[in-house]
Structures are given as C-alpha cells and as structure tokens.
Amino acid sequence: QTRWMLCLERGDTLYLLKGVPREWLETGKVIDFSKLNTYFGPVSLRLESKLSEKHIKVTIDCSSSWKPATVSLRVPHPDFNEPVNVDGGTYDIETESVVIEDFTGYAEINLEY
C-alpha cells in the first residue's frame, strides 16, 4: 500500500504521488526516490516544495524502452491552493494532477502558486 501512494500503473498510464498526504508537500519538504521498479521500468522522481517562494518543482525520469505513454503526477497543495501557472504538463484541477501526454521518458514540471 505504501508503494501505491507513490506509484501506480494502469494501462499505459503511470500515476505518481496519487496517495501522498498534503503535509508531504509543505514548504521545504522533498520527495525523492530513485529507480523504483514499475511495470514501465525503473522510475526516479524528485519533488522539491518551495512554497515560501511560491513554487514546486518536480523531475521525473523513466527512460526505459517501455516507458508509459502518459504520466499523471498528483501535486496536492497543503492549503488546497491551485497553481496560477504550470510548465511541463496540463493541470487537472479535479484530481490536482499534472498530466503529461506523449511522455518522452523525462519531464521537468514547475508549478507556480
């Protein structure tokens, strides 16, 4: 169940941080894992919360030959705020997720609040 908080595969989509608590994204906190085994091969992720500077930065690496077609990255703001700008994907307000279609194997996402 802990793994499913961080990573979940469904079809050709990789869901990241789908079950993480909001408190894990408070300013100054980091979520970092390397080469987590998934159906799509090893995945590495680093999320840095700098909400005191009004942004969260995330990098995702899954460069195996069977990488996912889509990545859905949930980024729940601790105070339920919505980003004013998102680079690196499309923000889905309903799921608090950044969706990356046609994933190339590497992504940098920046959310500004």
Side-chain angles (χ1 to χ4, degrees), residues 5 8 22 24 52 54 58 60 64 76 78 83 109 111-113:
M5 290 175 63
L8 181 65
R22 293 180 185 283
W24 287 18
S52 61
K54 300 193 183 287
V58 185
I60 302 167
S64 69
I109 301 100
L111 298 97
E112 297 176 30
Y113 294 90

Side-chain angles (χ1 to χ4, degrees), residues 10-14 40 66-72 99-105:
R10 286 203 181 133
D12 64 354
T13 301
L14 178 63
F40 302 108
W66 54 92
K67 63 188 168 292
T70 304
V71 171
S72 178
V99 179
I100 306 162
E101 302 283 346
D102 300 320
F103 181 65
T104 63

Side-chain angles (χ1 to χ4, degrees), residues 1-9 15 17-19:
Q1 290 178 352
T2 302
R3 181 191 179 280
W4 293 341
M5 290 175 63
L6 300 174
C7 179
L8 181 65
E9 306 94 332
Y15 294 89
L17 309 184
K18 191 169 176 83

Side-chain angles (χ1 to χ4, degrees), residues 3 10 14-15 26 35 42-43 46 62 65 68 73 78 82 93 95 99 104 108-110:
R3 181 191 179 280
R10 286 203 181 133
L14 178 63
Y15 294 89
E26 292 171 344
K35 299 181 181 178
V43 173
R46 180 169 177 86
C62 179
S65 59
L73 170 72
E82 297 172 15
I93 203 166
T95 62
V99 179
T104 63
E108 292 183 5
I109 301 100
N110 192 41

Side-chain angles (χ1 to χ4, degrees), residues 53-91:
E53 299 172 22
K54 300 193 183 287
H55 72 92
I56 293 174
K57 182 177 179 170
V58 185
T59 57
I60 302 167
D61 185 14
C62 179
S63 52
S64 69
S65 59
W66 54 92
K67 63 188 168 292
T70 304
V71 171
S72 178
L73 170 72
R74 183 170 167 264
V75 187
H77 191 284
D79 297 322
F80 295 86
N81 294 343
E82 297 172 15
V84 294
N85 187 47
V86 177
D87 292 325
T90 304
Y91 188 74

